Amino acid sequence: MLAKTETATFLDDLFDTGLLIETGVDGLYGRSGLFEAIGDGFQAMVTRYGAADEPEVVRFPPAMSRQVFEKSGYMKSFPQLAGTVHCFCGNPADHVSLLQTIEQGGDWTEGQKASEIVLTPAACYPLYPTAAKRGTLPDEGRLFDLMSYCFRHEPSQDPARQQFFRMREFVRMGTPEQVTEFRASWLERGQALIAELGLPFTVDVANDPFFGRTGKMLAVNQRDQRLKFELLIAIESEEKPTACLSFNYHQDHFGKTFGLTTEGGEVGHTACVGFGHERVILALLKHYGTNVDRWPASLRHSLGL
Ligand code: ATP
Ligand code: ZN
Ligand code: MG
């Protein structure tokens, strides 16, 4: 038999130290106060790096309108990741049969009905229709600061791939020039921020995990047009580093879908930069160890720890 040190994974280590708390479901974890304190320090840094642009802060709950979700086209591209909220809508007789089904170990969820709510897959999704409702984009465009828990059905024992995780985002809306300039500037700022944390990283062009055969073409197109970049840090594996920040140019996809228009009467373009909250915390814990007292003083200072 192998000794525990030889078999223990990073996830075991996170459970043993109490930084993450098991729930019995892969990718669904509690977080300790220390884990949260590291994350608060990171978020304060993100705020500092973005402060000069004076983004408008908006927060949504981790769910969104099912109607908006349908309109966004998410089910065309990522049906495998989506999570919907279903509820019991029956009468007292239905309730009796529901309880009987549970008692008998049957599938009590069969009678659940889809509600008007789905789980947010990326922090920016609920924003587009609310921004469009405000009317034409002003000359200078708009810039938002978002953060939300997001859901993706991708159960995994890689602690960096969770089902419920937080995503901080800056979202820019405006002309193609405005939004591509925003993305280019965050590509620089994101690297400076991760360098301040002393984490080794690479930046590479990327694609989203589009579903199915047409999805393969969408992925190739996304790469060819360099619409997505990722900042990658080794967490679970050295060979396959993890995307911790992503820089996305949506062109006019959301503008067309939700009716965003510029002062000049063009369809508004959008771009977003996403920070994987848990992934950056995990990258720090992996790189510097789970004993935070031993982290370099300068790093603790940057994080306000
Ligand atoms: P991956 O390539 O690893 O599947 P992604 O490209 O799908 O990630 P995005 O859709 O760009 O990720 O999401 C924005 C950010 O949210 C990512 O850069 C990452 O840091 C974080 N993120 C995405 N999926 C997860 C997850 N399952 N668990 C934790 N963080 C995640
Ligand atoms: Zn986004
Ligand atoms: Mg990716």
Side-chain angles (χ1 to χ4, degrees), residues 124 128 169 250 272:
C124 61
Y128 301 107
E169 282 200 55
H250 318 120
C272 66

Side-chain angles (χ1 to χ4, degrees), residues 122-125 128 146 167 169-171 248 250 254 271-274:
C124 61
Y125 271 72
Y128 301 107
L146 304 170
M167 199 189 289
E169 282 200 55
F170 292 110
V171 182
N248 307 285
H250 318 120
F254 289 114
C272 66
V273 46

Side-chain angles (χ1 to χ4, degrees), residues 196-208:
E196 183 180 337
L197 294 174
L199 294 169
F201 65 87
T202 53
V203 171
D204 204 356
V205 62
N207 64 265
D208 287 314

Side-chain angles (χ1 to χ4, degrees), residues 131-132 135-138 174 255-256 258-269:
T136 308
L137 294 166
K256 249 199 230 153
F258 292 108
L260 285 166
T261 47
T262 65
E263 281 277 301
E266 309 282 330
V267 176
H269 280 229

Side-chain angles (χ1 to χ4, degrees), residues 173-187:
M173 305 177 177
T175 63
E177 294 72 30
Q178 286 169 332
V179 310
T180 51
E181 202 274 328
F182 157 86
R183 189 177 70 150
S185 113
W186 267 110
L187 252 173

